[in-house]
Every structure is written in structure tokens, then in C-alpha cells.
Amino acid sequence: MDCYIVDFHAAELGVGAEVALEDSVMRKGLPAKAGSKILEGFIAPFDATVVTRLLDSKYNIAGRIGMNEFGLPSLISAGTNDIYDAVKAVSAGVVSYALCNDVFGVYRRRAAEEGICYLHPTYGTVSRYGLVPMACSMDQIGVACKNPDDCFGLLSVIAGNDPKDGTMYPEKSYVYSKTGKELRIGVPAAVLNQADEGTKESIRRFAAGFTSTDMELKYFDVYKQVLYILTCAEASSNLTRYDGIKFGYRASNYKNLNELYTRTRTEALGVEAKLAAIMGFMVLSQENYIPYYEKAMKIRRLIKESLRFGEYDIIVLPTKISDDSYENLSLFALAPLAGLPSLSFSFKGCGIQLVADAKNENALLTAWEGVKNEI
Amino acid sequence: MRYETVMGLEVHVELATESKLFCGCSAKFGADENENVCPACAGMPGMPAVTNKKAVELGIAAAIVTNSEITRTITFDKKSYFYPDLPTGYQITQWFAPICKNGWVEVETTAGKKKINLKQIHIEEDAGKLIHEGYDTSLVDFNRTSVPLVEIVSMPDFRTAEEVVAYLEKLRSLLTFAGVSDCKMQEGSMRCDVNISVREAGSDKLGTRTEIKNMNSLKAISAAIAYESKRHIDALEIGDEVLIQETRGWNDSIGKTFSMREKETAADYRYFPNPELMPIYISDEWIDKIRVNLPEPAVEKYVRLTGELGLPEFDSGIITGSKTLSDIFDDVTKHFNKPKEAANWIITELLGIAKGSNKGEDDIQIDCVKFAKLMELVDNKTINRTIGKKLLGMVLEEGIDPAVYVAKNNLGMIADTGVINEAIRIILADNQKSVDEYKKGNQKVFDFFVGAIMRKLGGKADPKVVNELLIRQLK
């Protein structure tokens, strides 16, 4: 059996429920490479807030687990190279839980495919302190585990305001429980039509368990562009700190400062990180700022404003509409762009994904409770 | 031909916060290299930036005292460039929505009063400091990284160095009295870049502009402006040098500016709003709360000192010319309610001692309770003034408690006229020749007698009493 865990934190193994940390969630004293050679040799100087809270609640940190470089999806290599060891480790029973950062949907998709689940919480409910940043306005630590009930249990341990992260809601803690209210499921027919027959069928059967309503996801056709432009802009800015000067990897041959910068990055950044950096620099450059970055920000706001939570409590989406990773990004863009919680799992053999209004994780839990006996 | 110098100023002022702008590290000056540094200061990943509320409040205070229009929703934005003193590869500044715009400051020069218009003030973080060692080694100190600053950008309203100096002094007064900054040029908490160009008088076209940096005193600024404007005029007049738009440094020891770098084809800083710093809304209530809590500005204090407290204009001018002296005056008069006497002590004695030890007035740190007690001891004739002056030095340097010290060293004033008369008798008897000279009309020996008698009495008598008794014995 593959072990998946990069380096066990041996002293903490052996008792209690074990939690693996994606390589971007910092455990003091362990490397935190975010899957990148450029962070080679960097040792986390402090614990992420989620880690502190887990340890305070007597959870054990099993160790660090491999990931896509900075969580960026494999677009150039068409998805075949995605590293989602966190999902594999949970699925294989190596650990009970894995904490990850899933902006692009790599974990939300693969969890459903591998028969486990992934809970991406509302932006601003879980502290980003101690998370290697990729796109700060969308980064959000979530939970992979076998059972959604357990996901919510672990989320209640790690969620709650942390003054060290300025983007959080004020609530100090959250209690997740089933609501008595009848759920209304919003079904975006136009999106569903792009999925294969099996997925369509399982989503229809899922919706049949509740009151459901047809709805339109406005701007869905540009979700992926907006997500990719904004994440590249933010990621490019978060990558500039890796310059070989202070920590992490440094090229061994250089004659001057510029060569030190260039060679370090040439040698240590992977192809997707380079692409994101170049894309980000491009959309933030003076001539492209308004037509790309600012426009994407405007559409992001329109996307948020176009949602009609109230007419429905949950939007149900497939986890795959295409073999092309870039096309599939659209399915996972809504949660990070609008800061919404999302739960994905396998239903009737197909991956489905539920998105609820901000801080309404309870609707996700209620929906799960409603169907968990017939998955 | 007559020429006119046109200047605009960019003044950087460090905000007087305890901690840095986006992390909890100390912002204090003078720590050891890389002492005030956390993982965020070193550019390490994992620590989200969190805005220091106090820095925003000081920014609002700066806006209020410069009559500026406060922006209601401000942003913090990233300015990206690569340099080793910038650990994250971006500086967090205010590009899209600075704290305020369109302010003005009135300055007074020999030519009269003039309004200097301000384009804007923005809050931003400072960069680290590079220390170059030898040919191929540079060290970097991140203590200054993320120390909060405001940059005050003026319109090109300056025509003379005198106006520039008057403006900087006015800014210093406004900002120190409002508690925004300590504005110490020597320590770099106030820095000034001068954009300068020269044109024919009367022309409305601006000449080629250069930017002068690295001046760390008002004197250096005046000298640099004089040098640079002459260089520009010579270039126009004689034509031996072609002016280019560039940044020039000031070398104080040779009194010249030198080319640092030519203005590159406008660098692309990829400005964008920092995605993890939410826009901040500044409400009327917040502004009003800061406004009513602003300390008394120098101008108002001057009026109070000369009016209500009846101090001479000269004294009031010196005390309100420095935030430090002004605070000392306020503190000591709380415990010693004789403002005129306190002003004398501060201006003559305290400043005298500071100057003697080469300290600027803003470097003076004194325990004002002890200072007040000392003045009280002299005022109620427990000790004489000469001993009081000596003790002031010890209060300042060693922090002694004057009352305890006087008692312990038996420095109390000798009030017993019998003792004083006896000392006078001995001195006169020992110096019969001088007594004869005095009687012939030589007044000078009188001071010699007083000195000798005071020494005999260990300096502890009241010189006034000694004078009176001495005159009586000499008759």
C-alpha cells in the first residue's frame, strides 16, 4: 500500500485520530514546501492556527502530504499530472483526515471520484495563518475525509475567528448541525446538460429527494477565465517572495543579482507556477490591468450578486463536464470566487458538488443527512 | 536672463506606532540588526497581513492637520518590484485610494505667508536596509521592513529653499504636536526628496526635472537646492552640460549632488489592491473622535502661553517650537505651578545642559516630576539656585531624586546669618589688602569676596543674603 505521507511526524503518531497536512499547511519544525522545489530547505517557523487548534483538541498530526505545486492545477499537462495524495491517503485509510487548500477543485473532484468527500468551508471561517498563500482572496483550508459527518466535526474544531488573519468573520466558533427546514435545491440545467448521462441521472435523483427548482448560473461561461485570471494575478504576487535571497532554494551559479533571481526561479519553479506567474504579471501590467484584472474583478462581483440564495438553499453541480482540466475549472470556480462553502461526494456512483450560501454549511450538512442512506 | 526655480516635495514621515504596519513586530528605531523581525518581515509565507489600526488613525490625524479631504473608503495596494531590501517582492502602499487628497499648509517666510498645496498623503510600509560590505557582499537588515510611513506629496509650489525649509518646519510642528510622528531627520523618521527644475521667470513651461535624495538635515536640503538650481541655470546659460531627468544623491561632505540613476522608461509596478486587505471605511464618527482627541497644536499653545500664562513671546516661541520642550513644559507645570519660572529653567538651564552635551532639544528625556521638585526646592529656598543648576544636570543624566540627594549630601541652604557673618568676617580678615582697595573705590573686589565667601560656605548660602551682609560688614 502506498503511504502517501511525505514525512511522518513520528512523535505524534500512534494515538487518536490522525490528520495529515497538505504540504502548504505549516507545522512548526516540519518542511513546508507547498509542493515546490523553490521552498526546498524551508522549515515552518510556527504552527498554522488550524494545527494549534487540532493539537489543543488532542488530534494527532500524522505528517505532511504531497500536492500540486502551490495547489495550481495541471493545465499544460491536461490534468494527468495532478497530485492529490491527500485524497488517496484518506481513501486508503492511511489517515482519517487531510487538511488541504482547494481553490481549483482538484480535491473536490478527486474526492468524489475516489468515493470520499471534501468540504471546502466558507471563506473567512477558517484561519489562513500558517497556510502558504497561493491566491489570498480565495485560499481556504478544507477537510478531506471518508464521511461528511466527520468533515463537519473536524471543521468545528478548526473554524472560528483568528485575529492573525484579517479576512475572517467575527464568530469565534461554529456549531454545525442539521436544520429542520425543508431544503430547496437549485439545479442549473444549462450546466447539467454539459455532463454525461450518468451524472445527469444521479443529480436528478439527488434533487428528487428535495424540493428542487431550475435556475440559471449567470456568467457560467466565463467562470473559468475569471477564476484563472484572478488566481494567476494573486499567485504571481505571492510567488515574488521566492527570490533565493532569504530562504528556500538558491541557484548555485550566478554572477549578479539578476542572475540569482532568474536562475533560482528557472531551476526551482515548475511549469504551471511559471505559467501562473507570467499570466499574473501580464494581467496586472499597466496596459492589461483594466481589460483583464479589473474586468475579472467586476465579473466576480456580478457573479456574487447574481446568486439568489433564498429562492434555493443549495446549488447542485457535477464534478466533471469535460476531460479538459481548464474547462472543468468552471465547475469549481463558484465557491472560491464568491467565498461560499462547498461539499463534494459520490452519489449513485457519480461525483456531485453542493454549494450553499456563505456561512450556511448547515444546509450542506442537512442535504447530506437527507441522502446519506441512499448513496 | 532671470530664472525661477520650481520645486515639489515628497516627504516621508514614520508614524509613531508601537508596532509595524502589517505585523506585530516593534517599530522602534535603534534595535540591533534584524532584531525586530518576524517571519512576515523576512518575506516568509504563511502570515497574512493585518492592518495596524493605529497607523490608519495617525494617517487620519495627518490629514486633519494638513486640511486635507479624507477618502472615505481607502485601499491598501501592492506595488511590485524586485530588490533585496524588499523581502516579499512588493511594497504595500496606497495607490488607488490614498488616505487623503487636496490639503494645504501655510508657511511663513521673509517674503510673507504662502499656501503650499498638497496633492495627497498615502500610508505605506517602509523597506529594509541594505548594508554594503566590501566589493561583493551586501547585508540586509529587515528591522525597518513594514514600519509604517506616510508620504506627503506636495504640488510644485515651492520657489525658494527658504520656502522648502519653512514648509518642512511647519510639517514637523503639525505632525509632532498631533502625535503623528517624532519627525527626526537624523534618525530617518522624516525624509525629504526634492523634485527641482528651473525655467525662465514668467514662463509657464516646466524645465527638465531632477529629483534630489539623501539629505538628512534642513541645512543639507538648503545647500542641495542651492547647488542643484545653480547647476540647472549653468546648464541653461553656459550649455556645457545637458540636463536629463534623473535621480541625484546629495553628498554632504563635498557639497555636491551626483547622478544616482537615470529615470528608466517608467517601470511597471503592477499595482493592484492587496486581496487580503479589505477596503477600510472611514466614518464621520471615526474622524470626529480623532479630531477631538488631537493634542493642542503649536499655534494654539503659543497663544495660550503668551496670553493666559503671560509668558514672553520669546519663551513661548522656543517652547512651542519643539514638541519635546512643549511636553516637558506641560508636565512640569502640572507639579510646579509657576509657568514663568518653569519656562526660564527649561530655556536657560535645561537647554544649556543639553547643548553642552551636544544633544538636540528633541533628544532630551527627563523625569518631569523630579524636575518640578527641583524647581520647587529652589523656589522655596531649600537650596540655592547654583546648587539647583548642578542638580538639574544630575536629574537629567542620572535621574537622581533632588530632595533625597539634598538631604543626603546636606546641601540645604545656610539660612543662619550668624554662620554667614562669621564666614564674611574670616574672609575679610584674610584679605585686608582687598578690603583697602574696595574702600578706595574698586568695586570689582566685591565679586571676589562673594565668591570666596560662597566657597567657604560650601556654595550653600543664599547669594542675596551674602551680598546684604557683606555690604553691611564692609561699611
Side-chain angles (χ1 to χ4, degrees), chain B residues 224-241:
Chain B
I225 290 171
Y227 176 87
E228 190 64 8
S229 82
K230 183 170 184 307
R231 194 180 71 86
H232 283 228
I233 292 171
D234 284 352
L236 298 175
E237 199 93 296
I238 307 166
D240 58 344
E241 188 184 5

Side-chain angles (χ1 to χ4, degrees), chain B residues 302-323:
Chain B
Y302 179 85
V303 171
R304 183 168 63 87
L305 260 51
T306 50
E308 199 182 308
L309 298 184
L311 291 193
E313 286 181 3
F314 176 80
D315 293 15
S316 306
I318 290 183
I319 288 172
T320 59
S322 147
K323 169 71 171 160

Side-chain angles (χ1 to χ4, degrees), chain B residues 197-218:
Chain B
S197 66
V198 163
R199 66 182 172 194
E200 283 174 29
S203 162
D204 56 1
K205 237 183 95 200
L206 289 169
T208 303
R209 173 168 57 96
T210 57
E211 183 181 358
I212 329 173
K213 285 181 179 291
N214 294 355
M215 300 155 291
N216 64 358
S217 70
L218 294 176

Side-chain angles (χ1 to χ4, degrees), chain A residues 26 42 46 128-131 133 136-137 164 166-167 234 237 240-242 246-247 257 261 265 281 284-286 289 293, chain B residues 39 42-48 50 78 82-84 87-90 96 142 267-268 270-273 275-276 278:
Chain A
M26 289 160 66
F42 175 69
F46 54 87
R128 292 178 299 113
Y129 182 80
L131 174 67
C136 298
S137 76
K164 292 189 216 121
T167 55
E234 295 188 26
S237 176
T240 56
R241 67 186 67 228
Y242 309 115
K246 303 148 303 222
F247 55 86
L257 184 63
Y261 286 153
R265 287 164 177 158
F281 280 29
L284 291 175
S285 66
Q286 239 168 50
Y289 182 83
Y293 183 77
Chain B
M44 288 179 184
M47 282 176 72
V50 181
K78 288 182 172 186
F82 295 131
Y83 205 61
T88 50
Y90 53 81
F96 295 100
F142 290 134
D268 193 332
R270 306 191 303 280
Y271 288 103
F272 79 114
E276 65 178 352
M278 306 285 114

Side-chain angles (χ1 to χ4, degrees), chain B residues 216-274:
Chain B
N216 64 358
S217 70
L218 294 176
K219 236 174 92 188
I221 289 170
S222 290
I225 290 171
Y227 176 87
E228 190 64 8
S229 82
K230 183 170 184 307
R231 194 180 71 86
H232 283 228
I233 292 171
D234 284 352
L236 298 175
E237 199 93 296
I238 307 166
D240 58 344
E241 188 184 5
V242 179
L243 291 174
I244 47 167
Q245 194 179 326
E246 62 179 344
T247 303
R248 296 179 71 84
W250 170 249
N251 185 328
D252 211 27
S253 53
I254 59 168
K256 284 181 178 174
T257 64
F258 59 93
S259 179
M260 288 171 85
R261 56 177 180 266
E262 284 178 33
K263 208 89 188 172
E264 299 141 26
T265 45
D268 193 332
Y269 292 117
R270 306 191 303 280
Y271 288 103
F272 79 114
N274 189 323

